[in-house]
Amino acid sequence: MTARVAAVAAAVVLAVALAACGGGGDSGGGAASPAPGTPAAQGEQLVERLGCLSCHTTNGARGAGPTWKGVAGRQVKLSDGTTVTADDEYLRRSILDPSAQVVAGFPGGLMAATVKPGSVTPEQADQIVAFLRTVR
């Protein structure tokens, strides 16, 4: 019986940890299904493969990183107090150089520690940006 209680406790801890990181990648229907073979579909595959959804959500829920729901084109407040429009250029720069402009309320070094220089190519960043434009 003790092993069963431990297993249930471990499952609860795992569920809480996944919820704290944005639901473990549960998009919650926030992203449209990009047409297969398009840059957006390739970007969706990349964010899944790279583990981006362990910190970012597509359903508006807060995660370890900012949600991606509706981010494309939205005004974003940065940790330095300025506000920028999350246009393609901003999103691309945020992917390739995560420390350049950090969203207010989120730790600046977390993504920089996760996304090493060169781990995402400029072409892949463009594909991810294409995907982010579909997340509404």
Side-chain angles (χ1 to χ4, degrees), residues 3-108:
R4 184 175 183 163
V5 171
V8 170
V12 169
V13 168
L14 178 60
V16 169
L18 288 174
C21 287
D26 177 19
S27 64
S33 295
T38 62
Q42 293 167 331
E44 181 178 36
Q45 292 171 351
L46 276 168
V47 301
E48 290 172 2
R49 184 171 51 89
L50 295 172
C52 305
L53 296 174
S54 63
C55 292
H56 298 278
T57 69
T58 60
N59 64 5
R62 183 177 172 94
T67 185
W68 288 342
K69 182 177 183 178
V71 71
R74 178 174 79 207
Q75 293 293 299
V76 177
K77 185 171 183 175
L78 302 177
S79 60
D80 66 3
T82 62
T83 301
V84 298
T85 299
D87 58 12
D88 288 1
E89 181 182 330
Y90 165 80
L91 294 170
R92 187 174 196 271
R93 183 174 47 254
S94 295
I95 294 163
L96 294 173
D97 185 6
S99 298
Q101 295 177 296
V102 178
V103 175
F106 292 92

